[in-house]
Amino acid sequence: MKKKLLISFGLVVLSTFSITIGVLAAPTLKLMVNGKASTIDVKVIDNVNYVPLNSFAASLGYDVSTNTKTNTIAVALKKSTPKPTPKATPKPTPKTALIPTSPPTQMDSVYYQNCTAVRAAGKDPLYRGDPGYSTKLDRDKDGVACE
């Protein structure tokens, strides 16, 4: 009786050991998702690959929800938050300058050919509204000529 018990116990230990060796000797599978290695654990049972649905779906950009009332699992694309649209910056409007279309008339009291002439007369700088001010003498069109 002890002999049968000992043999049975030995067979149980031997079968457990051989199953353990078989599981340890099973190849480790790497799951590749969209060409990238994944850390998702893959189980192989009876030559069938099992992958956790939540982890796998999340790696593809999906949400998984389980409804226990209807016993259903729903897989849907994650709702992405819309990217804020950049505010359009208004284009600067070019400053309009009044450019004389004709040479000064007799009504203009003072006319300067260029800034050298203004400086020679000791009138620099000229401000918009001053006698002799002209937009052609105001390079940056800020209202101050020959500065």
Side-chain angles (χ1 to χ4, degrees), residues 86-92:
K87 293 182 180 178
T89 55
K91 294 181 181 178

Side-chain angles (χ1 to χ4, degrees), residues 67-117:
N67 187 334
T68 55
K69 291 180 183 177
T70 60
N71 290 328
T72 57
I73 299 173
V75 180
L77 275 174
K78 287 183 181 179
K79 292 180 181 175
S80 62
T81 56
K83 294 180 182 177
T85 55
K87 293 182 180 178
T89 55
K91 294 181 181 178
T93 56
K95 295 181 181 178
T96 55
L98 298 175
I99 301 172
T101 56
S102 61
T105 61
Q106 292 178 345
M107 291 181 4
D108 292 330
S109 59
V110 181
Y111 171 75
Y112 297 106
Q113 180 78 24
N114 52 37
C115 285
T116 304

Side-chain angles (χ1 to χ4, degrees), residues 4 39 51 84-85 90 99 102 117 130 144 146:
K4 284 184 180 179
T39 58
V51 179
T85 55
I99 301 172
S102 61
D130 286 351
V144 182
C146 301

Side-chain angles (χ1 to χ4, degrees), residues 1-145:
M1 181 82 154
K2 282 187 177 183
K3 199 173 196 181
K4 284 184 180 179
L5 186 60
L6 189 58
I7 291 174
S8 296
F9 181 71
L11 286 174
V12 168
V13 169
L14 184 61
S15 63
T16 303
F17 181 72
S18 62
I19 289 172
T20 304
I21 294 295
V23 169
L24 293 177
T28 303
L29 294 177
K30 286 187 178 181
L31 179 64
M32 303 293 286
V33 178
N34 290 331
K36 296 179 182 177
S38 173
T39 58
I40 299 172
D41 189 27
V42 178
K43 302 286 185 195
V44 180
I45 302 172
D46 294 330
N47 290 328
V48 176
N49 301 326
Y50 292 91
V51 179
L53 180 62
N54 288 358
S55 301
F56 183 68
S59 70
L60 293 174
Y62 289 86
D63 280 328
V64 178
S65 61
T66 305
N67 187 334
T68 55
K69 291 180 183 177
T70 60
N71 290 328
T72 57
I73 299 173
V75 180
L77 275 174
K78 287 183 181 179
K79 292 180 181 175
S80 62
T81 56
K83 294 180 182 177
T85 55
K87 293 182 180 178
T89 55
K91 294 181 181 178
T93 56
K95 295 181 181 178
T96 55
L98 298 175
I99 301 172
T101 56
S102 61
T105 61
Q106 292 178 345
M107 291 181 4
D108 292 330
S109 59
V110 181
Y111 171 75
Y112 297 106
Q113 180 78 24
N114 52 37
C115 285
T116 304
V118 173
R119 288 186 191 98
K123 299 293 184 178
D124 62 318
L126 290 173
Y127 296 96
R128 187 177 292 132
D130 286 351
Y133 173 86
S134 170
T135 56
K136 74 174 193 169
L137 301 174
D138 187 2
R139 290 185 185 175
D140 55 3
K141 309 294 186 231
D142 64 349
V144 182

